Amino acid sequence: MNNNEKETEKNGIVLLRLTHLLLMFYTLSYAVAGLCHGIFDVRIVGYLPFDHSNTLYTPKGKAAWTTMVMSFLLFSIGTALYFPRLNNLWDYIVTISFLHIFISATGLPLCFLCFVHLLQKMLPFQCVFFLPFLSFIPSFLTLVSVMLSFPVSGLWWGTLIALVVLQLLFSRAVQFLVNKKFPLQTHVE
């Protein structure tokens, strides 16, 4: 195996780990969002994990903030349990945090929700016809343009920065505890 093939294999492993962790993060985010919908008695919206436009004075704002905090903290523990001996786990955590900021600031969650809504309208029998797609474009563009807003809330940014630091600390602490409790066996006893 030459160096080029080793580098390609290494990149594939990194991409696979990143994909696993992205799925874990957003699965946790939507699970926590589902709980927060019930706890704060707010209408179910699919973009709650990405919402940065509400204040803490509204139930929806409290639900969005709680979703963000709990998702990040549970994710830090989950990543350390999923990869207890990965030395560069901090790199994955920071990458996923930056991806979440990008998705939250660009309106991509609404693009995804609109795409899912479109598929629900088209399936199972209307896949052959593109008329539902054409009628959906104006509402799709309206939703995307509404969500395209950069987060300007100081509370949102402060919480996010604190959460990234806490994620790094929690994940390292959990890794340390797991490695201490279950040390790596190097020989057969």
Side-chain angles (χ1 to χ4, degrees):
M1 193 181 265
N2 63 25
N3 286 341
N4 210 8
E5 290 173 345
K6 287 180 185 178
E7 190 68 29
T8 303
E9 184 177 331
K10 184 179 176 182
N11 289 342
I13 291 170
V14 168
L15 188 59
L16 184 64
R17 286 180 183 156
L18 189 61
T19 303
H20 285 162
L21 292 175
L22 272 171
L23 288 172
M24 181 192 296
F25 179 73
Y26 286 114
T27 301
L28 280 171
S29 291
Y30 277 103
V32 170
L35 292 172
C36 287
H37 283 297
I39 292 170
F40 294 102
D41 196 29
V42 294
R43 190 175 64 86
I44 294 177
V45 290
Y47 58 88
L48 188 64
F50 307 97
D51 192 8
H52 56 79
S53 60
N54 291 297
T55 64
L56 283 177
Y57 301 114
T58 64
K60 188 176 176 186
K62 290 177 186 175
W65 187 83
T66 304
T67 297
M68 182 173 66
V69 170
M70 294 305 298
S71 297
F72 273 72
L73 295 180
L74 290 173
F75 177 69
S76 65
I77 295 168
T79 55
L81 293 174
Y82 192 66
F83 293 116
R85 290 177 175 79
L86 188 63
N87 289 331
N88 62 341
L89 185 61
W90 66 271
D91 194 12
Y92 291 99
I93 289 173
V94 170
T95 301
I96 290 183
S97 299
F98 282 136
L99 283 172
H100 183 71
I101 292 169
F102 175 76
I103 290 171
S104 297
T106 58
L108 287 178
L110 280 180
C111 294
F112 175 73
L113 289 174
C114 291
F115 180 70
V116 169
H117 181 68
L118 171 67
L119 287 179
Q120 287 174 346
K121 280 188 162 188
M122 291 177 66
L123 294 176
F125 302 108
Q126 298 175 351
C127 290
V128 179
F129 306 108
F130 291 103
L131 188 58
F133 176 73
L134 296 176
S135 66
F136 187 72
I137 289 175
S139 59
F140 174 77
L141 293 175
T142 304
L143 284 172
V144 170
S145 66
V146 167
M147 193 61 181
L148 284 176
S149 63
F150 190 77
V152 292
S153 169
L155 178 66
W156 190 82
W157 282 107
T159 302
L160 195 63
I161 291 167
L163 284 172
V164 171
V165 172
L166 284 173
Q167 270 188 309
L168 297 174
L169 294 174
F170 279 9
S171 63
R172 193 63 192 146
V174 170
Q175 276 186 321
F176 175 77
L177 293 174
V178 167
N179 288 326
K180 187 174 182 177
K181 180 74 175 167
F182 304 104
L184 186 62
Q185 299 290 326
T186 57
H187 62 282
V188 178
E189 296 182 11

